[in-house]
Amino acid sequence: MSDILSIINQPIEAELSDFTAKYNASLEHKDGILKQALDYIKQRNGKRMRPILLLLTAKLYGEVTETTMRAGIGLEMLHTATL
């Protein structure tokens, strides 16, 4: 599976790296209990299929913008919250 995923990610490697940094930064907090919960979420990366599909679609139809990144972060947070 990881071989197929790496092939799928090739066109958006830079954008996916930027997404991951922004996603992790959005999960920063100083409060003890909330920080522990957010740190746990950060450790559980998963395949990130939703952001990957969003980034690929954005790149297919133009470019990946800051709005695209924010939508991907919101989508991933919503998915994580439902687990």
Side-chain angles (χ1 to χ4, degrees):
M1 179 67 172
S2 65
D3 291 335
I4 294 171
L5 199 53
S6 65
I7 293 169
I8 292 169
N9 289 344
Q10 279 179 345
I12 55 163
E13 282 179 350
E15 291 87 351
L16 193 55
S17 177
D18 190 29
F19 168 82
T20 301
K22 290 178 180 189
Y23 178 74
N24 287 338
S26 71
L27 296 176
E28 292 293 325
H29 200 277
K30 295 177 183 167
D31 184 24
I33 294 173
L34 183 55
K35 180 181 180 349
Q36 288 176 3
L38 293 174
D39 286 346
Y40 177 78
I41 291 170
K42 279 194 285 189
Q43 291 173 359
R44 307 204 29 104
N45 286 330
K47 294 180 292 291
R48 304 223 195 258
M49 292 305 296
R50 283 154 277 306
I52 288 170
L53 291 172
L54 183 72
L55 294 171
L56 284 168
T57 303
K59 196 157 191 177
L60 177 66
Y61 288 101
E63 64 181 344
V64 175
T65 64
E66 187 63 29
T67 303
T68 307
M69 290 292 182
R70 289 181 184 173
I73 290 168
L75 185 61
E76 193 67 7
M77 285 184 172
L78 180 62
H79 168 69
T80 301
T82 63
L83 295 177

